[in-house]
């Protein structure tokens, strides 16, 4: 991305501390600086990425420490909240200037209008240009945002940021609701941006255009220079070094424990011999008692020294372990998930979707899945991708034509409605008569990093990544495992490690998959056998090779 020459920090965080109302501390003495280099903030869900973004923007106040902004900052949150009656002009922050320009055009100028307009005489033209570039050709400044789709609202919020007077933009998951065309528009717009830029994102395509990565972990913040690919390589080397340090600490602990045990046994034999000698020695009773006490004291000192040494070794292992990011477990599939090559999975014959884009002519969908085929569905926002999945999940009927699904399936929609938020995943699997006994089930869940505590808590308390793993477990370990996975934007709101763990899990799935996603890296990782793509002239079905 284009950026201006290197200058002093746009934002400085000095000994920053932030605590939630319940006393939980998420940042402790954090020191960071952000300059004009396009910078991404990454990290696992719950580590505080959005909190940090809001602290920088001044929407949250630190518990201690300072945030020093050298330039005006504007923050665009993950979710656009459309208030009743809000116009596009109001949402983009252009309403006051546009109203002043309109009064001037009508000859009704007021005393403050020239101050309101300032040097933004061409703002109406620039807003129109931004709307057209974003593919919002039919939208005008007076339109109500509440009548727009989620993807359109996301574009409106970003347009407002690009037209603002801010010199530092903070964008929180800006691509979450954008289709492929929207993502390309955003990347193009950011290339032309001349101010500072901070993005909180898990979108690998967007991250690849960054020039600095700030990774948040429970241990603090680490700054990596370069793009996302550079970050991955640096992170890999760092983790390899951390794992080597952990292995060395464990080896040293085991070796030292063995030495200490031998030393303990030797001294204990000598002490036992001293006590026997004291018992039989031809000395006064008080001397015999003193000899026994001395032997016990020596053993006490030895034990205390050994315990201190063991505690020190344990602490070294704990410190080394804390620097190693554990790999998320790979999903364990049951044999019931296997789909033989010739098995019919689902069929769409001249099916017309029950919902179509405005002014789009009815288009017929034809699809015939058999065996463990993997289908990637793509198309712009609003073309009917989610509706198509709902038809395959028997939740919607086609207007005409045929839609049949012949195998057990699991529909993982964007809200993961397959889960009951009020009960735990263990309870839900038991209610679904899982084939696994409780010990094996808990072992499998632990393999997915759903430990005993998380696996027995209501699903509402799980993080986004944990909920997705729980949904997969429910789909595959119930009495009749799913042989077809229907996935609707499954990576939205997941952190990068959770996405990558999810990709690895699906790569081992022996059944069929139909996935809708704007994340091209995720779709590639699924190794799709076929693509179903929406075009204005209709749906196109083709093999990937």
């Amino acid at each position: 991305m284009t950026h201006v020459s290197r200058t002093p920090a746009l934002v400085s965080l000095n000994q920053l501390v932030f605590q939630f109302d319940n006393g939980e501390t998420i940042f402790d003495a954090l020191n960071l600086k952000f300059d004009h280099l396009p910078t991404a903030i990454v990290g696992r869900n719950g580590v505080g990425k959005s909190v940090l973004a809001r602290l920088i923007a001044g929407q949250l106040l630190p518990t201690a420490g300072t945030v020093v902004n050298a330039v005006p900052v504007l923050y665009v949150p993950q979710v656009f909240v459309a208030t009743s009656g809000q116009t596009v002009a109001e949402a983009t922050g252009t309403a006051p200037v546009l109203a002043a320009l309109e009064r001037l055009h009508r000859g009704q100028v007021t005393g403050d209008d020239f101050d309101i307009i300032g040097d933004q005489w061409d703002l109406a033209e620039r807003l129109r240009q931004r709307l057209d570039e974003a593919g919002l050709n039919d939208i005008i400044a007076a339109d109500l945002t509440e009548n727009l789709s989620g993807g359109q609202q996301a574009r409106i919020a970003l347009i407002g940021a690009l037209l603002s007077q801010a010199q530092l933009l903070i964008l929180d998951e800006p691509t979450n609701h954008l289709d492929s065309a929207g993502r390309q528009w955003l990347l193009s717009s950011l290339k032309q941006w001349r101010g500072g830029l901070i993005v909180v994102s898990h979108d690998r395509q967007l991250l690849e255009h960054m020039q600095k990565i700030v990774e948040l972990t429970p241990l603090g913040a680490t700054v990596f220079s370069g793009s996302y690919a550079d970050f991955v390589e640096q992170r890999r080397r760092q983790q390899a070094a951390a794992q080597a340090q952990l292995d060395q600490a464990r080896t040293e602990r085991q070796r030292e424990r063995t030495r200490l045990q031998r030393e303990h046994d030797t001294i204990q034999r000598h002490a036992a011999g001293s006590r026997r000698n004291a018992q039989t020695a031809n000395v006064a009773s008080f001397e015999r008692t003193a000899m026994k006490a001395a032997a016990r004291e020596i053993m006490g000192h030895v034990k205390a020294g050994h315990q201190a040494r063991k505690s020190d070794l344990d602490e070294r292992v704990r410190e080394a372990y804390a620097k190693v990011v554990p790999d998320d477990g790979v999903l364990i599939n049951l044999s019931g998930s296997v789909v033989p090559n010739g098995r019919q999975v689902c069929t769409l014959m001249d099916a017309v979707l029950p919902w179509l884009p405005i002014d789009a002519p009815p288009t017929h969908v034809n699809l015939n899945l058999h065996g463990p085929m993997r289908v990637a569905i793509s198309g712009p926002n609003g073309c009917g991708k989610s509706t198509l999945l709902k038809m395959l999940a028997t939740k919607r009927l086609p207007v005409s034509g045929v839609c049949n699904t012949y195998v057990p399936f699991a529909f993982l929609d964007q809200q993961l409605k397959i889960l009951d938020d009020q009960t735990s995943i263990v309870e839900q699997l038991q209610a679904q008569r899982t084939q696994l006994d409780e010990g094996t089930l808990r072992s499998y869940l632990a393999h997915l990093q759903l430990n005993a505590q998380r696996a027995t808590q209501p699903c509402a308390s799980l993080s986004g990544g944990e909920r997705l793993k729980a949904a997969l477990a429910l789909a595959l370990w119930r009495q009749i495992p799913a042989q077809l996975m229907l996935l609707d934007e499954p990576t939205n709101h997941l952190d990068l490690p959770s996405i990558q763990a999810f990709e690895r899990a699906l790569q081992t799935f022996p059944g069929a998959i139909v996935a809708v996603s704007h994340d091209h890296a995720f779709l590639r990782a699924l190794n799709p056998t076929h693509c179903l793509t929406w075009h204005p002239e209709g749906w196109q079905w083709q093999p990937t090779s």
Side-chain angles (χ1 to χ4, degrees):
M1 292 186 177
T2 303
H3 60 89
V4 300
S5 59
R6 199 72 173 265
T7 60
L10 302 180
V11 177
S12 298
L13 311 182
N14 306 305
Q15 295 294 302
L16 186 75
V17 177
F18 182 79
Q19 287 183 338
F20 292 109
D21 291 340
N22 63 5
E24 178 188 357
T25 299
I26 196 166
F27 298 123
D28 188 7
L30 183 65
N31 293 288
L32 278 175
K33 293 183 184 297
F34 294 88
D35 56 21
H36 276 87
L37 289 177
T39 301
I41 299 175
V42 302
R44 288 184 175 272
N45 289 341
V47 78
K49 302 185 296 295
S50 294
V51 171
L52 179 59
R54 295 179 65 195
L55 284 165
I56 296 171
Q59 294 196 357
L60 292 175
L61 296 177
T63 306
T66 60
V67 178
V68 180
N69 290 325
V71 296
V73 178
L74 190 144
Y75 170 72
V76 180
Q78 292 186 34
V79 180
F80 179 91
V81 179
T83 58
S84 179
Q86 180 191 52
T87 65
V88 168
E90 291 169 340
T92 55
T94 59
V97 175
L98 293 182
L101 288 169
E102 179 62 24
R103 287 191 295 270
L104 184 64
H105 178 72
R106 294 197 308 263
Q108 301 172 347
V109 65
T110 66
D112 295 332
D113 280 344
F114 288 103
D115 291 333
I116 293 173
I117 295 170
D119 60 355
Q120 300 187 79
W121 295 95
D122 63 343
L123 183 60
E125 291 77 13
R126 288 192 289 123
L127 174 59
R128 181 69 267 160
Q129 181 183 356
R130 289 287 187 183
L131 290 169
D132 291 342
E133 289 172 348
L136 305 178
N137 310 74
D138 298 329
I139 293 176
I140 63 174
D143 286 342
L144 298 180
T145 57
E146 59 195 288
N147 297 330
L148 304 180
S149 69
Q152 291 173 326
Q153 291 173 347
R155 287 172 169 85
I156 293 297
L158 292 166
I159 287 172
L162 295 168
L163 289 174
S164 73
Q165 300 294 302
Q167 297 177 37
L168 172 62
L169 299 185
I170 305 175
L171 311 181
D172 197 348
E173 300 288 3
T175 62
N176 259 3
H177 301 285
L178 298 181
D179 55 21
S180 296
R183 293 179 183 212
Q184 288 302 321
W185 162 76
L186 176 62
L187 288 175
S188 176
S189 299
L190 293 181
K191 285 180 182 178
Q192 302 171 34
W193 175 250
R194 294 298 184 268
L197 176 66
I198 299 173
V199 300
V200 175
S201 181
H202 63 261
D203 186 320
R204 285 163 283 192
Q205 184 182 16
L206 175 59
L207 292 176
E208 195 53 46
H209 290 79
M210 297 294 107
Q211 296 180 23
K212 186 191 296 183
I213 308 288
V214 176
E215 183 187 28
L216 296 182
T217 71
L219 298 178
T222 305
V223 180
F224 297 84
S225 61
S227 68
Y228 176 67
D230 299 323
F231 160 73
V232 170
E233 177 58 24
Q234 293 176 66
R235 195 73 179 86
R236 184 194 64 77
R237 292 198 300 266
Q238 184 185 76
Q239 278 299 293
Q243 184 63 53
Q245 186 177 7
L246 174 60
D247 293 341
Q248 181 180 358
R250 284 172 169 168
T251 299
E252 181 182 354
R253 180 176 65 178
Q254 183 58 44
R255 183 171 56 244
E256 187 68 359
R257 280 179 171 177
T258 301
R259 187 190 68 79
L260 291 174
Q261 186 61 49
R262 288 198 302 266
E263 183 178 286
H264 172 273
D265 293 345
T266 299
I267 294 175
Q268 191 171 44
R269 285 196 301 271
H270 290 164
S274 297
R275 289 193 297 272
R276 287 195 300 271
N277 292 337
Q279 188 67 33
T280 59
N282 186 20
V283 294
S285 175
F286 75 90
E287 290 180 307
R288 184 178 298 114
T289 300
M291 291 172 65
K292 290 181 179 180
R296 285 194 298 271
E297 184 177 0
I298 291 173
M299 280 305 302
H301 285 308
V302 169
K303 288 181 179 180
H306 285 189
Q307 187 58 49
R309 177 60 175 155
K310 289 178 180 178
S311 296
D312 179 60
L313 292 168
D314 288 342
E315 181 60 27
R316 291 186 186 182
V317 170
R318 282 192 294 270
E319 290 176 354
Y321 180 78
K323 298 177 182 178
V324 176
V325 177
D327 287 334
D328 286 336
V330 176
L331 197 68
I332 304 170
N333 295 294
L334 297 182
S335 58
S337 302
V338 176
V339 178
N341 287 332
R343 179 76 164 92
Q344 192 76 15
V345 175
C346 61
T347 301
L348 289 170
M349 295 178 58
D350 292 329
V352 175
L353 300 183
W355 185 91
L356 293 171
I358 297 175
D359 299 329
T363 56
H364 298 81
V365 186
N366 289 284
L367 177 69
N368 184 21
L369 265 63
H370 53 82
M373 295 172 67
R374 295 173 172 232
V375 181
I377 299 180
S378 59
N381 289 340
C383 71
K385 302 183 298 296
S386 296
T387 303
L388 180 55
L389 285 185
K390 290 176 183 177
M391 283 171 47
L392 293 175
T394 68
K395 295 183 178 297
R396 300 291 295 272
L397 295 175
V399 174
S400 62
V402 175
C403 177
N404 289 321
T405 301
Y406 305 103
V407 298
F409 63 86
F411 178 35
L412 273 59
D413 60 358
Q414 296 185 36
Q415 291 76 38
L416 295 177
K417 294 178 182 176
I418 189 175
L419 295 176
D420 177 1
D421 282 345
Q422 306 309 311
T423 59
S424 70
I425 184 58
V426 169
E427 292 170 322
Q428 291 176 59
L429 281 164
Q430 291 171 340
Q432 290 282 337
R433 299 181 181 178
T434 176
Q435 304 173 35
L436 306 174
D437 61 72
E438 185 167 346
T440 303
L441 174 59
R442 289 178 181 268
S443 175
Y444 278 18
L445 290 170
H447 191 67
L448 292 177
Q449 271 81 56
L450 292 173
N451 59 26
Q453 179 184 12
R454 307 303 283 160
T456 53
Q457 288 180 343
C459 285
S461 67
L462 302 181
S463 70
E466 290 170 335
R467 282 173 54 81
L468 191 55
K469 291 175 184 177
L472 278 171
L474 184 60
L476 297 173
W477 301 337
R478 62 194 185 192
Q479 184 180 28
I480 303 177
Q483 296 179 348
L484 168 64
M485 301 292 292
L486 302 170
L487 309 174
D488 190 3
E489 296 288 0
T491 61
N492 273 2
H493 309 296
L494 292 187
D495 56 50
L496 279 166
S498 294
I499 292 174
Q500 291 162 341
F502 187 42
E503 291 171 352
R504 292 195 298 270
L506 292 178
Q507 285 168 354
T508 68
F509 178 61
I513 296 175
V514 180
V516 168
S517 180
H518 294 304
D519 185 340
H520 296 299
F522 170 73
L523 290 178
R524 285 195 302 270
L526 289 187
N527 300 315
T529 60
H530 294 76
C531 292
L532 183 63
T533 308
W534 185 89
H535 295 277
E537 61 272 16
W539 291 90
Q540 293 185 4
W541 165 259
Q542 61 183 23
T544 55
S545 59

